[in-house]
Amino acid sequence: MSKRVMMTGNVATAEGAIAAGCRYFFGYPITPQNDIPRYMSEQLPQIGGVYLQAESELASINLVYGAASTGAYVMTSSSSPGISLMQEGLSYLLGAELPAVVVNMVRGGPGLGNIAPAQSDYWLSTRGAGHGDFGCLTFTPDSVQELYDCTYDAFEIGHKYRLPVMILGDAMIANMSEATRLRERREPPTQMPEWAVGGRRNGRPRRVVNSLWTDVPVMEAVNLRIAERFRQAAQEQTRWEEYGDDRPDILFTAYGISARICKTAIDRLADEGLRARLLRPITVRPFPTDPFARWAGQVERIVCVEHSMGQFIEDVRLSVDCRPVELISRTGGVLMTPEEVIARTRELIAS
């Protein structure tokens, strides 16, 4: 039977990975996600796993590449500047069609910035993964429980589509504590994937993992194959949540910590007689375009709330056929309050 345990988002992320069968973790310390490698360093050696602190984020992501090529469940975690350093390795993972889980607990930027919560890595996470046409499948949890659940799911999802999966959190959710329902830890898969390297043991043909394709038509075929997996993932893995009035005048949209702030604002606006609803993407790659398109013609106003200068809003605008979308935002690690969202909403209505 599952049990509920009080834990931080960082610890829940790490425990979710272990419960899913992850036994390999390579990383480099950076605040605000340091409790993930700390927990992994304590737990993995006790259950026959491998924890290794690399000399840099570049080394971490290439160690992930090596473990992923054997078909292992493998994870790394970092925060904004560290994820920037991993971009080349992420592109190599994509080019070699290797699954892995990468956690980004976003902090204020650009540059070294600060260790406060931010959402300014949205483009990095949804358009990133280095050079080439693709990015990571990306989940955006808004609670400690959802960090645990999304991380748990990410390994099977990554292996199903042979794609890296990004868990996009932030400094607030990473370090808040909430009761979290845990699952029984399961063992890693025992059957080696058909594509994984591992020698010619037991008559198995030799396998090669590679992201270098000098034959141009072959490179195009690889890209088309990866694109088809993205399309399949969009059909099967797109997730979102809706909250609030069933007949709203205003549609709020937000993800992560911004969505939690919006829920409180929506409840308080309802007390004033203003009908509002939240559409919260849980996946942002793939993006839940259908519910946005459905609501776009039913509301008077669409308001995007995010902790960046306006990155997430671009996907929202594309999903509502370029209808006007208004922005409420803070940046640089400044955390907005429900009162601020309410005040800005009143201003928008009055304008």
Side-chain angles (χ1 to χ4, degrees):
M1 181 180 295
S2 62
K3 59 180 180 179
R4 298 184 75 196
V5 177
M6 187 67 72
M7 57 177 51
T8 67
N10 279 328
V11 171
T13 301
E15 178 57 35
I18 292 172
C22 175
R23 295 297 182 268
Y24 295 91
F25 181 93
F26 308 103
Y28 185 78
I30 182 173
T31 309
Q33 61 81 55
N34 282 332
D35 277 345
I36 297 175
R38 177 195 61 78
Y39 189 85
M40 288 298 210
S41 72
E42 296 168 352
Q43 295 291 317
L44 285 179
Q46 298 179 34
I47 55 176
V50 174
Y51 166 85
L52 192 150
Q53 179 175 312
E55 64 266 29
S56 69
E57 291 87 352
L58 284 78
S60 298
I61 197 65
N62 282 287
L63 287 163
V64 167
Y65 182 103
S69 69
T70 70
Y73 278 12
V74 57
M75 185 174 91
T76 187
S77 64
S78 190
S79 182
S80 308
I83 298 296
S84 295
L85 290 169
M86 293 183 182
Q87 293 304 295
E88 180 184 54
L90 286 170
S91 182
Y92 285 11
L93 283 165
L94 277 160
E97 302 173 82
L98 294 176
V101 176
V102 179
V103 179
N104 181 7
M105 296 301 187
V106 183
R107 57 191 253 174
L112 288 176
N114 55 48
I115 61 172
Q119 295 182 318
S120 47
D121 289 5
Y122 184 85
W123 285 338
L124 180 68
S125 302
T126 59
R127 273 75 166 169
H131 54 286
D133 277 325
F134 305 105
C136 302
L137 299 176
T138 305
F139 290 82
T140 55
D142 80 335
S143 67
V144 174
Q145 181 69 61
E146 207 164 66
L147 274 170
Y148 176 90
D149 292 336
C150 287
T151 307
Y152 183 94
D153 293 343
F155 292 89
E156 278 196 355
I157 291 170
H159 273 248
K160 179 175 182 178
Y161 305 105
R162 291 182 65 183
L163 293 168
V165 179
M166 177 80 73
I167 306 297
L168 183 62
D170 62 69
M172 178 61 71
I173 295 175
N175 290 289
M176 66 168 58
S177 293
E178 293 181 314
T180 306
R181 190 169 297 281
L182 306 183
R183 313 181 203 193
E184 293 293 328
R185 289 182 175 179
R186 65 187 182 193
E187 293 299 313
T190 56
Q191 185 172 357
M192 180 181 290
E194 184 276 334
W195 47 263
V197 299
R200 292 191 171 105
R201 291 173 294 182
N202 302 318
R204 185 176 184 268
R206 178 173 178 259
R207 296 287 186 267
V208 176
V209 168
N210 179 44
S211 69
L212 174 65
W213 306 101
T214 56
D215 188 328
V216 174
V218 172
M219 183 77 264
E220 182 183 45
V222 170
N223 276 290
L224 294 173
R225 187 165 64 232
I226 297 169
E228 179 55 36
R229 293 200 193 104
F230 268 104
R231 281 191 287 271
Q232 184 183 356
Q235 292 174 356
E236 299 172 349
Q237 302 298 335
T238 304
R239 304 181 186 183
W240 71 91
E241 178 199 24
E242 298 186 30
Y243 176 89
D245 199 287
D246 291 333
R247 294 184 300 166
D249 298 315
I250 296 178
L251 180 68
F252 286 100
T253 182
Y255 70 91
I257 191 62
S258 299
R260 294 182 65 140
I261 294 166
C262 279
K263 287 179 179 179
T264 302
I266 286 170
D267 290 341
R268 294 179 185 175
L269 287 167
D271 294 337
E272 301 177 10
L274 197 153
R275 299 195 303 269
R277 189 171 186 84
L278 172 69
L279 177 49
R280 175 179 75 92
I282 301 172
T283 57
V284 289
R285 186 179 182 120
F287 197 83
T289 56
D290 288 348
F292 278 97
R294 185 175 66 249
W295 279 111
Q298 302 181 48
V299 295
E300 298 175 4
R301 194 177 299 269
I302 303 171
V303 178
C304 179
V305 180
E306 59 179 298
H307 285 85
S308 75
M309 294 296 293
Q311 299 183 24
F312 168 60
I313 194 173
E314 291 196 357
D315 281 337
V316 176
R317 285 175 174 149
L318 290 171
S319 299
V320 298
D321 197 23
C322 295
R323 269 201 60 189
V325 181
E326 292 157 306
L327 177 66
I328 298 175
S329 71
R330 298 299 298 266
T331 187
V334 177
L335 190 68
M336 72 181 82
T337 64
E339 291 76 19
E340 186 175 353
V341 173
I342 292 168
R344 288 284 292 114
T345 301
R346 291 181 184 137
E347 292 173 7
L348 292 171
I349 293 172
S351 62

